[in-house]
Amino acid sequence: MYSKTVLERFQNPKNAGSMHGANAIGQVGNAACGDIMKMYLKINENEVIENAKFKTFGCCAAIASTDIACDLIKGKTIDEALKVTNKDVVSLLGELPAHKIHCSILAEESIRAAIENYYKKKEKELKKANKQN
Ligand code: FES
């Protein structure tokens, strides 16, 4: 049912866990299955993603998808990371059963949610700085 890569990533994810010093955190969920993904990013001043980690309360495919998504965006700029789609995730996983494609979509959405969180924080900081001046 699952590819070798999915099973490997599920059993031994490389990027699992929370991150101390993350400056972007995004959480998404799927109401139908109840799975939740949380993505932690460390984005540097050049808007390059230095590190990505995740926590997933979910299925095997969700864990494997988010783990691969972290690998896909590490070292990329925000703009490049925003171009990563669930198709990229599935292609690295080998394949996913049709009823598990939404797990890879959740991984894509978690990247976007974290980046959105980064921009919101940045906007807040800018507003705060402008008030002080
Ligand atoms: Fe819903 Fe995997 S079954 S994310």
Side-chain angles (χ1 to χ4, degrees):
M1 177 180 171
Y2 285 123
S3 71
K4 198 174 153 221
T5 309
V6 172
L7 293 173
E8 276 170 9
R9 288 290 181 147
F10 166 63
Q11 283 163 352
N12 195 17
K14 295 196 289 178
N15 305 300
S18 54
M19 187 197 297
H20 184 71
N23 56 356
I25 301 173
Q27 184 171 309
V28 291
N30 183 295
C33 66
D35 288 2
I36 295 169
M37 281 180 193
K38 204 165 184 176
M39 175 77 75
Y40 301 85
L41 304 180
K42 175 76 184 140
I43 301 171
N44 71 18
E45 60 285 354
N46 298 319
E47 302 210 318
V48 171
I49 299 169
E50 286 183 349
N51 200 5
K53 288 183 93 60
F54 76 96
K55 275 184 169 177
T56 295
F57 175 80
C59 71
C60 172
I63 290 168
S65 293
T66 331
D67 197 43
I68 286 276
C70 288
D71 279 354
L72 276 169
I73 60 172
K74 272 194 255 181
K76 285 196 162 77
T77 63
I78 288 178
D79 286 348
E80 289 165 344
L82 285 170
K83 288 181 188 141
V84 170
T85 69
N86 80 302
K87 286 191 179 101
D88 301 317
V89 170
V90 174
S91 120
L92 280 183
L93 286 175
E95 60 180 317
L96 276 180
H99 69 286
K100 291 289 180 179
I101 292 295
H102 79 271
C103 315
S104 64
I105 293 172
L106 218 49
E108 178 189 323
E109 287 173 355
S110 70
I111 297 170
R112 294 174 197 286
I115 291 172
E116 200 178 302
N117 174 257
Y118 172 77
Y119 281 127
K120 272 187 191 156
K121 280 184 186 165
K122 229 177 150 183
E123 200 180 300
K124 257 189 196 172
E125 282 167 19
L126 272 176
K127 275 184 189 165
K128 205 173 161 188
N130 284 341
K131 266 188 191 171
Q132 286 168 353
N133 292 333

